[in-house]
Amino acid sequence: MSRSSRAVLAASALLSAATVVAVHVQQRRERERLHSGVLRDLERQNQKKENIRLLEEQIALTKQLVEERDKALMEKGSQQS
């Protein structure tokens, strides 16, 4: 084999190896990115559940406050009569 053919063979082998390594690195990054997306989705779902729970709690407290206010107004009205 001549020097030039050896150099071409070495360069093509090196380029092929670099391509394989690059593809594996890219696949690993993609897999990590997808996994982090799943974790973000789970966190978003948990946050949504917490927000709904807080909203329901706020609605119950508002209803209780309105009932207490109405009761106080009725007592005040019956005392004035």
Side-chain angles (χ1 to χ4, degrees), residues 62-80:
T62 302
K63 189 181 285 187
Q64 181 183 358
L65 181 65
V66 167
E67 288 172 358
E68 288 175 4
R69 185 191 66 196
D70 291 346
K71 183 179 176 184
L73 287 174
M74 290 177 82
E75 288 176 359
K76 187 177 181 183
S78 65
Q79 288 176 357
Q80 289 180 354

Side-chain angles (χ1 to χ4, degrees), residues 7 13 16 27-28 32 35 38 40-41 44-45 53 57 61 65 67-68 70 75:
S16 296
Q27 285 177 341
R28 188 179 317 124
E32 289 171 358
H35 182 69
V38 170
R40 280 193 311 268
D41 286 346
R44 220 176 284 135
Q45 288 174 357
R53 186 190 66 76
E57 183 179 319
L61 289 172
L65 181 65
E67 288 172 358
E68 288 175 4
D70 291 346
E75 288 176 359

